[in-house]
Amino acid sequence: MEEEILRQAMQVAEAAEVYWVSFQETPVSFEANRLKYLTTRQSSGVALRVIVNGRIGHSATNHREDMAALVSRAVEVAQFGPEAHFELPGPQTYPSVEAYDPQTEAFPVDAMVELGQGLIDGVRAHAPDLQCEAGVAKETLTLHIINSRGSQAEYHKSVFSASLWGTLVQDTDMLFVGDGETLCQPMTDGLVIIERVLRQLELAQRTATVSSGALPVIFTPRGVRSALVAPLYAAFSGRVVLQGASPLGGRLGETVFSPHLTLWDDPTLPLSPGGRPFDDEGIPTQRTPLVAAGAVANFLYDLQTAGLAGTRSTGSARRSLGGLPSPSVSTLIVDEGEATFPDMVADMKEGLVIEDLMGASQGNVLGGDFGGNVLLGYKVEAGTIVGRVKDTMVAGNVYKVLSSLRGIGQEARWVGGHLRTPALYGDSISVSTKS
Amino acid sequence: MIREEIEQALKGHDADYVELRLEEGETTRLSYRGRELEDIGRNASRGGNARALMKGGWGFVSFNDLSNLRDKVALAVSHARRVGKEESRLAQIAPTVETVPAEVKKDPLLIPLAEKKRLLDEYNEILWSSPRLQTSSISYSDGRRRTVFANSEGAYIEQSRVDVVARLAAVARDGDVVEQAGLSLGSQGDYAVIEGLHQQVKELGQQAVTLLSAPQVKRGEYTVILDPVLAGVFIHEAFGHLSEADFLYENPKLQEVLVLGRTFGQPHLNVVDGAAVPGLRGSYHYDDEGVPATRTYLIREGVLVGRLHSRETAAKMEEPPTGNARAVDYRFPPIVRMTNTFIETGTATLQDMMAEIPEGLYVKNWFGGTTSIEMFTFSAGEAYMIRNGKIAEPLRGVVLTGNVFTTLANIDAIGNDLDMNQGGGCGKGGQAPLPVSNGSPHIRIRNCLVGGR
C-alpha cells in the first residue's frame, strides 16, 4: 500500500515520502482502589509528504478508501507549502537500537491487573486512608518510512508503564502523592514505585511553613521534570534557534551553565522508551551532547531546519501523523554529579525540596522562566526535612538556576521514560508563601 | 455507515449496557513560525469505539477499521466482564433518535485554502511591522466532524460540528530577555471570527515589545482585578474542575468537603456551566453518552448547588444527569468535562472596582493554568500595577496562585461586562484539546498570592 501511494505521488511530485505507523495499546486502569476500565486501542495511519515545484505538501489519513484523495490533497497543499531546503535521504545504515521486547506484547492482561492491584494494596497496607488510582499499560508500535530516493526503514517498539497516584483528604487539606515507571520491557513487580510513594507519605506526614524569600531548592528527579526541562526542550530545538527565540542561540561553545552540568540527547540507549534507530524522516539517530561541562555543545535539527541553518540533521525529527516533522529531544540525559541526597539536605539552613511543581511551564518558557505552586514539596530546616509545604509558590529562571548549581546528585533515575536525571540543587530561588 | 449494521452489532451481548460511537472528519491546518509558513496540510480521519458495562466494570475498544463492528463490541464486553464485580449503575435517560446538523454561519470549509493563507499572510505582515520583534507564530486550523452514537437502550444520535481556531503570538527579545504576547480565537462554525483582526494583531506585536522593558512583579499578596478572559480561566481552573463529579463520586471524604449547600463565595457569586448555552465552542445538543445538554448552576448566590455528571456519576451520587460526558475523539471513552463555564454578570463597573485600590494589580489575558483540586495556579498574559485607583506601569511574569476554598470567598466585586473566551482548549486524563469556552465579567479578588522576584 505504501509503495502504491509513493508511485502515485511520484507521477506529479519531484520527491515523496510515505510515513506509516501502527499502534496497539492495552491499558488497565484502577479508580477508587479497584479495577475500573480495561481498554484495547488500535490505530494505524499514513502520512504523505511531497515536494512539488520545490514546495512541501502534506496530508494524512487513517482509512484505506482515502488513498487517492491523500495524494491529491498533499499536492494541492504543496502550492502554498513552505519551500523545501533539503533532499530526502537515500538508503542509510542505522545503528542497532534495541527498543522492542516481545515479552511486553505477550504479557498477560491478568498479570497487569495483578501488578496494578499490587501497587494499590502495597501502599494502602501502610496508608489505609489513601484513595488510589493506578494504571498499567502495554503498547507496541511499528513505524515504516519509505521515500522516492529508495530509503526503506522500519522498527518496532514496545513500551510498558505502571503508575500509582494517591490522594489523602482531611477536610480541605489534600495531599497528592504518586510515582511511576516507563520501560520497554514488562515490570515484574511494583516494589520500586511502592517504596517511593511510601517515602513521600512519610516525609509529608507533618506540614511546615517556609519563609518567603530567596531560598536554596533541591529539585528531585521528578521536580526537575516538572520545573526545569520544558525551557531546555525549546532552547535546544534548531527551529527555535533559527528563529532567534532561543536564549542559547549564537552561544555554541559558551559556558552558560554550571561547569559541572552535562546534558545529552540519547535516542540510542537500548531498551529506553525514547530510543529508536532512526528519526521520523529516516535519518540515523545519534547521541548528541547538548551541554558539555557547562558549555552549549549542539542544537538539534531535522532535515528542513538543518537545511535552513546550513548544517546536517542530527536525526532529531519528530512528528505526529497529522503534521510535518520538527526537531526535538528524544531522551534527555543529565549526567550524575558527586552529591548524595542527604548531603544536599544537610547543607541547607532553610530551604525546599521540590518533588512536583504544578503549572511550572505556564509562564515564559522560551525565556526560561518557571513558576508555579508546589504540589508536593518539603521544608528543610537546619539540615533536616521537617514536613511538607502548602500554599507555596516558587518562581525562577532555568538559566539562572542551572548556572549557579550548588550540587548535582550522584544517583540518577528515569522519570517517565524520556528523561534520566539526578537531583539538582539550586541556589537562591524566589519562594512566596501565603501568610 | 448503515444504521442497521450498527444496531445489529449492539444486539444480544451478555452485558448490562453496550454502545458504539463512530466518527469521521477532516481538518485543514496552516502554521507560521517567523516570516515563513512552516506547516500546512489537510488530513482525513475515521474511527470508532465500542464500550461495554458489566457489573460496574467497563471495557473499551477503539479502532480505525470500521468493519466487523459486532466483534469489536464483543471484545469490549469480554473486557468489561473481566473487570466488573459489583453492580452497574447508570442514570436513566430516555433513548433519543435524532440527527443534529452542524450549526454553521460562515463555513470555514467553503473558504479556499488560498484565501485562508492570504488572510494569515496579512496578519503575519502586520506582526512583522512592529520593531524589535524576534519571531512570531500563527497557527490556524479548521475541521468538521460527524459522530454517530448508538447504544443498547435504543439511542441513535448523529451529530455534526464545524470548528475553527486560531492562535497568534508575537515574541520579542532583548539580550537574554524573551517575552511573548498571544491571542487565541475560536468558534463553532463561523470563520468570520478570525477575520478583521488587523488592529488586534498590531497591538499584539507592541505588547510583546512593551513586556521586554517591564519589571518583574514583586512577590506578595495583592488585591487583583482580573479581566474577563483571565477570570474565565480562573473559574474554569479553580472551580470548574472541582465540579466534575468523576473525581469525587467514589471518594466519601471529598464528598464531605464538596457537599451541596456549602458556602463558597459571597452572595453576588453565580457560576454556570452548560452545553445548552447556545452558539459557543462548548455547545452541543447531546453529550457522548447521548444525554441531552443542560445549563447547570454550580454556584448560586455563593452556595454550591450543582455539579457536572456522566450517567454513572449521576446515578452513584443520586443527582440528576447533566450531559457532561465528553470524549475528545473516538480513541477515548467519555469522561466528565466542562462545556461553557462562566461567572454570571454582576453590577460593578471596572472604574469603580479600580478606584478603591491604593495599590494592586490589573491582570489580563490568558497564558496558562492548572489545578490540583485544592490549589490552582494560572498566569497572566499582560499585567499592570494599579496605583491610587489608576492603571500604572506594566509588569511581567505574573503567576497567581491560591487555594480555591478561600479565594472564591475573596471575590469582593463582580463587573457588569460578561464576555466569553472561545480560544481555549481543555485537557484532562490525556484527552486534549477539548473545545470549551469560559468567561466572566471583570472580577476583583482580595489577598491573592502572586509569585515573582
Side-chain angles (χ1 to χ4, degrees):
Chain A
M1 180 185 70
E2 292 99 286
E3 283 79 3
E4 178 55 25
I5 296 168
L6 194 62
R7 197 189 60 77
Q8 284 185 26
M10 285 308 290
Q11 292 179 351
V12 275
E14 293 122 61
E17 170 203 62
V18 178
Y19 172 93
W20 178 88
V21 64
S22 165
F23 170 86
Q24 169 150 349
E25 184 186 25
T26 307
V28 300
S29 35
F30 294 77
E31 274 179 36
N33 307 323
R34 57 193 192 277
L35 185 60
K36 182 72 184 176
Y37 249 102
L38 174 53
T39 297
T40 301
R41 211 171 267 148
Q42 268 177 316
S43 67
S44 66
V46 60
L48 172 66
R49 182 165 60 154
V50 292
I51 300 176
V52 182
N53 297 326
R55 292 184 176 275
I56 303 168
H58 178 269
S59 183
T61 188
N62 61 11
H63 54 104
R64 281 177 171 276
E65 295 96 281
D66 191 43
M67 294 309 158
L70 178 76
V71 176
S72 62
R73 284 198 307 262
V75 171
E76 179 214 339
V77 160
Q79 298 171 63
F80 310 104
E83 261 177 63
H85 293 273
F86 62 91
E87 231 186 319
L88 291 167
Q92 306 278 311
T93 311
Y94 297 120
S96 153
V97 178
E98 204 183 337
Y100 179 78
D101 184 336
Q103 288 184 50
T104 297
E105 200 166 353
F107 197 77
V109 169
D110 288 340
M112 292 168 66
V113 171
E114 208 175 297
L115 179 63
Q117 194 64 55
L119 289 175
I120 292 171
D121 296 345
V123 171
R124 278 172 50 91
H126 301 270
D129 291 339
L130 196 70
Q131 175 117 346
C132 293
E133 286 180 25
V136 179
K138 60 175 184 177
E139 66 180 70
T140 52
L141 172 149
T142 302
L143 196 149
H144 187 188
I145 302 173
I146 60 173
N147 70 33
S148 53
R149 290 196 60 211
S151 177
Q152 284 266 5
E154 183 176 71
Y155 68 79
H156 300 277
K157 182 187 282 203
S158 59
V159 179
F160 190 92
S161 63
S163 62
L164 176 82
W165 304 99
T167 316
L168 203 57
V169 181
Q170 265 154 343
D171 193 25
T172 65
D173 173 34
M174 290 170 206
L175 168 64
F176 300 92
V177 293
D179 215 313
E181 283 277 290
T182 306
L183 310 161
C184 286
Q185 68 274 41
M187 287 176 73
T188 46
D189 64 63
L191 283 181
V192 56
I193 298 173
I194 293 170
E195 276 166 21
R196 287 189 197 132
V197 174
L198 289 177
R199 174 81 178 141
Q200 292 167 10
L201 285 165
E202 185 192 320
L203 294 175
Q205 247 173 15
R206 289 193 299 163
T207 56
T209 306
V210 74
S211 321
S212 285
L215 294 177
V217 173
I218 299 170
F219 297 89
T220 68
R222 281 183 61 222
V224 170
R225 182 172 75 168
S226 65
L228 304 179
V229 298
L232 298 178
Y233 278 17
F236 284 99
S237 157
R239 179 177 299 286
V240 179
V241 172
L242 271 172
Q243 293 157 31
S246 168
L248 303 179
R251 301 175 78 175
L252 276 180
E254 204 177 306
T255 303
V256 171
F257 300 98
S258 156
H260 304 289
L261 189 74
T262 293
L263 303 180
W264 304 84
D265 176 39
D266 193 355
T268 69
L269 283 174
L271 292 175
S272 75
R276 49 185 185 164
F278 55 87
D279 74 356
D280 284 345
E281 296 178 307
I283 303 294
T285 52
Q286 62 185 50
R287 182 174 190 244
T288 307
L290 300 176
V291 175
V296 179
N298 280 291
F299 301 116
L300 299 174
Y301 293 98
D302 62 2
L303 288 171
Q304 174 78 349
T305 54
L308 286 164
T311 181
R312 289 161 57 100
S313 166
T314 50
S316 305
R318 195 163 280 282
R319 70 208 277 183
S320 64
L321 192 70
L324 284 170
S326 192
S328 104
V329 173
S330 294
T331 302
L332 185 68
I333 305 291
V334 184
D335 276 0
E336 283 123 327
E338 307 282 320
T340 68
F341 190 76
D343 285 346
M344 292 188 277
V345 173
D347 184 63
M348 287 197 238
K349 254 194 225 130
E350 183 182 4
L352 266 182
V353 175
I354 291 180
E355 178 81 359
D356 199 349
L357 190 64
M358 182 174 78
S361 55
Q362 63 182 325
N364 178 8
V365 172
L366 283 176
D369 289 349
F370 66 92
N373 200 312
V374 180
L375 188 58
L376 184 60
Y378 319 108
K379 183 193 184 186
V380 177
E381 204 176 286
T384 311
I385 291 178
V386 293
R388 82 164 158 126
V389 297
K390 293 199 59 183
D391 297 301
T392 302
M393 273 200 80
V394 299
N397 184 282
V398 169
Y399 300 103
K400 284 187 185 144
V401 172
L402 296 183
S403 65
S404 58
L405 284 174
R406 284 189 176 196
I408 297 174
Q410 59 174 217
E411 267 181 82
R413 63 162 276 204
W414 285 98
V415 189
H418 295 264
L419 169 70
R420 187 172 192 274
T421 180
L424 299 177
Y425 179 17
D427 195 20
S428 190
I429 293 163
S430 171
V431 177
S432 333
T433 304
K434 186 111 180 150
S435 47
Chain B
M1 192 53 57
I2 306 154
R3 181 169 167 187
E4 206 171 309
E5 188 189 339
I6 294 171
E7 287 175 342
Q8 279 303 324
L10 290 166
K11 278 189 183 147
H13 294 279
D14 190 6
D16 295 331
Y17 169 86
V18 291
E19 69 184 24
L20 270 169
R21 184 158 46 88
L22 308 177
E23 69 180 49
E24 55 99 13
E26 60 182 295
T27 57
T28 297
R29 67 182 196 281
L30 285 115
S31 73
Y32 294 69
R33 292 259 199 155
R35 290 179 179 275
E36 303 300 320
L37 180 75
E38 175 184 79
D39 190 14
I40 182 167
R42 287 186 54 204
N43 298 339
S45 93
R46 180 189 282 186
N49 65 67
R51 191 167 71 133
L53 177 65
M54 184 65 179
K55 293 187 176 169
W58 289 100
F60 183 81
V61 174
S62 76
F63 43 85
N64 294 135
D65 174 7
L66 302 189
S67 61
N68 302 321
L69 290 176
R70 192 176 176 79
D71 294 351
K72 277 136 187 163
V73 179
L75 180 59
V77 169
S78 105
H79 282 356
R81 294 179 65 86
R82 219 158 167 165
V83 175
K85 292 186 176 60
E86 294 163 19
E87 184 202 353
S88 297
R89 292 182 66 189
L90 290 179
Q92 290 295 316
I93 288 292
T96 307
V97 177
E98 195 177 334
T99 299
V100 184
E103 279 170 37
V104 179
K105 283 187 187 146
K106 185 167 186 178
D107 189 349
L109 278 87
L110 299 179
I111 312 286
L113 192 53
E115 164 58 23
K116 292 170 189 168
K117 180 163 183 296
R118 189 195 56 74
L119 180 66
L120 299 176
D121 281 344
E122 279 177 25
Y123 292 159
N124 214 22
E125 276 309 306
I126 296 171
L127 279 176
W128 279 92
S129 68
S130 59
R132 290 163 78 199
L133 192 77
Q134 181 66 42
T135 189
S136 64
S137 69
I138 298 178
S139 60
Y140 167 91
S141 75
D142 62 49
R144 63 162 190 92
R145 180 154 70 139
R146 187 169 71 94
T147 316
V148 174
F149 172 86
N151 67 20
S152 51
E153 297 167 348
Y156 190 93
I157 300 167
E158 189 181 319
Q159 295 187 95
S160 296
R161 64 181 285 155
V162 170
D163 281 277
V164 52
V165 290
R167 168 143 184 102
L168 296 95
V171 179
R173 178 178 177 180
D174 186 5
D176 284 352
V177 183
V178 178
E179 285 295 336
Q180 47 191 314
L183 177 66
S184 296
L185 301 140
S187 162
Q188 194 172 168
D190 192 6
Y191 182 77
V193 299
I194 69 141
E195 295 180 306
L197 301 172
H198 302 76
Q199 185 56 33
Q200 274 169 279
V201 174
K202 190 167 184 186
E203 286 162 13
L204 200 63
Q206 290 159 354
Q207 215 182 86
V209 172
T210 306
L211 282 171
L212 281 180
S213 50
Q216 282 272 354
V217 65
K218 194 165 155 280
R219 64 174 169 254
E221 286 187 37
Y222 292 87
T223 297
V224 180
I225 294 179
L226 278 61
D227 82 332
V229 174
L230 194 47
V233 176
F234 164 72
I235 204 64
H236 172 103
E237 291 299 338
F239 185 75
H241 284 292
L242 274 180
S243 304
E244 295 166 343
D246 55 341
F247 83 98
L248 54 89
Y249 76 113
E250 301 202 88
N251 193 328
K253 284 214 160 171
L254 274 175
Q255 288 176 35
E256 279 170 34
V257 177
L258 292 163
V259 66
L260 298 183
R262 182 179 183 132
T263 298
F264 268 83
Q266 299 175 27
H268 60 178
L269 183 65
N270 293 291
V271 181
V272 172
D273 178 277
V277 180
L280 298 169
R281 284 261 290 154
S283 308
Y284 50 76
H285 287 240
Y286 297 94
D287 76 358
D288 290 319
E289 295 185 313
V291 178
T294 60
R295 184 183 197 276
T296 308
Y297 269 98
L298 305 176
I299 292 179
R300 196 166 212 163
E301 296 178 353
V303 176
L304 183 67
V305 293
R307 51 184 135 245
L308 308 178
H309 284 294
S310 65
R311 288 185 67 182
E312 185 179 32
T313 65
K316 291 201 169 166
M317 294 188 75
E318 296 176 344
E319 290 174 12
T322 58
N324 283 82
R326 306 178 67 189
V328 72
D329 62 39
Y330 66 89
R331 295 171 302 157
F332 297 94
I335 55 175
V336 180
R337 303 297 293 260
M338 280 174 265
T339 59
N340 308 302
T341 315
F342 56 95
I343 298 177
E344 281 191 329
T345 202
T347 52
T349 66
L350 176 59
Q351 209 176 0
D352 294 344
M353 281 191 231
M354 206 166 291
E356 293 163 5
I357 304 177
E359 192 187 84
L361 295 175
Y362 180 39
V363 292
K364 295 175 72 170
N365 240 319
W366 167 88
F367 209 101
T370 186
T371 175
S372 77
I373 303 177
E374 181 193 10
M375 307 298 293
F376 63 84
T377 171
F378 54 101
S379 56
E382 215 184 321
Y384 302 88
M385 277 306 289
I386 299 171
R387 294 187 194 282
N388 301 319
K390 295 206 170 62
I391 293 181
E393 74 274 14
L395 294 166
R396 64 193 177 93
V398 175
V399 178
L400 304 111
T401 190
N403 180 312
V404 64
F405 298 98
T406 53
T407 306
L408 284 175
N410 286 343
I411 298 176
D412 76 338
I414 296 178
N416 58 5
D417 49 359
L418 170 64
D419 193 16
M420 297 300 292
N421 171 26
Q422 309 250 48
C426 177
K428 176 180 170 184
Q431 299 196 43
L434 189 78
V436 295
S437 74
N438 48 57
S440 172
H442 277 91
I443 59 170
R444 185 172 65 197
I445 306 176
R446 298 281 180 188
N447 307 317
C448 189
L449 184 60
V450 174
R453 295 291 133 84

